[in-house]
Amino acid sequence: MIEKSCAFTGHRPQSLPWGYHETDARCIALKKALAGQIVERVNAGYTDFFSGMAEGVDTWAALTVLALKKENPTLKLHCILPCKGQADRWQTSARELYASILKQADEIVWVSEAYSRGCMLDRNRYLVDHTACLLAVYNGNWRSGTAMTVRYARKLGREIILLRPF
C-alpha cells in the first residue's frame, strides 16, 4: 500500500440520475465536488491516484488528476484495468478518451489478461489493497460494484470519502 495514495470508485453513467448527459447541472456539480476532493488530497500530500478506468466517475477522476499533473508533476496516475479490451464495446468517443488517458498514465496494470466473471471485482480489490484512501461516488445501491468496493475498504480500515451523486 502506498501511504499517500487514493483510489477512485463510482457508478457508470447509466446508474447516475442524468445518464450520459454530462451537461446536466447535477453532473457538473458532481464533477466539481469530485475535483475538489482530489485537490484536498493533493493539498494533504497525496501523490498517487488509482483509477479503475470505468466510464463515468473513474474517467472523470483520472482526467482531474491529469489536469493537476500539469501544475504538479509529482502526481502519478495509476490505471488499474480489469482486463485487456475493457473499452472494446464502448462508444467511439469513450474509447478515444480512454486511450488518451492511458497514454498519459504513469502506470497501467491489467489485473487479468482476458475478461472473466471476477475480473471487475479483482480490479476493485486491487485498488483498495494498494491505496490508503478510497474516494467513492456512491448512490446507496447495496448491490453494485461500487458498494462492494466501499464495503471492502471498510473491512480493511481504509479512509473512505463518500460523495452522493444527487
Side-chain angles (χ1 to χ4, degrees):
M1 178 179 71
I2 301 171
E3 275 301 309
K4 292 292 188 172
S5 59
C6 182
F8 309 115
T9 189
H11 302 291
R12 290 171 181 82
Q14 62 267 27
S15 297
L16 297 169
W18 53 85
Y20 285 88
H21 303 287
E22 291 187 37
T23 57
D24 185 288
R26 297 167 296 178
C27 182
I28 292 167
L30 176 63
K31 286 181 179 182
K32 185 176 179 179
L34 181 63
Q37 286 295 328
I38 294 169
V39 167
E40 281 188 33
R41 303 284 81 68
V42 171
N43 291 340
Y46 284 67
T47 55
D48 290 80
F49 295 89
F50 289 64
S51 174
M53 291 300 295
E55 284 187 283
V57 173
D58 292 6
T59 302
W60 302 332
L63 288 169
T64 300
V65 172
L66 291 174
L68 292 170
K69 270 185 70 135
K70 292 176 182 169
E71 301 296 321
N72 185 349
T74 63
L75 300 181
K76 291 184 174 52
L77 176 63
H78 306 267
C79 294
I80 312 304
L81 311 179
C83 60
K84 292 187 177 178
Q86 175 183 14
D88 286 353
R89 294 184 178 164
W90 296 0
Q91 291 184 1
T92 302
S93 60
R95 284 195 317 270
E96 289 170 354
L97 180 60
Y98 177 87
S100 170
I101 293 169
L102 292 182
K103 283 181 189 170
Q104 299 173 74
D106 295 283
E107 178 185 33
I108 299 170
V109 173
W110 286 275
V111 175
S112 176
E113 281 290 316
Y115 177 81
S116 68
R117 188 173 176 180
C119 71
M120 301 293 180
L121 177 62
D122 291 343
R123 183 262 325 265
N124 294 344
R125 286 181 180 248
Y126 185 103
L127 291 168
V128 173
D129 288 342
H130 289 83
T131 58
C133 173
L134 180 68
L135 176 50
V137 174
Y138 178 44
N139 65 10
N141 179 355
W142 185 253
R143 297 180 56 119
S144 68
T146 299
M148 290 170 50
T149 306
V150 169
R151 287 194 299 271
Y152 184 63
R154 275 198 186 111
K155 179 180 172 184
L156 295 186
R158 300 296 193 256
E159 176 186 4
I160 301 169
I161 299 139
L162 291 176
L163 292 175
R164 300 288 181 191
F166 36 79

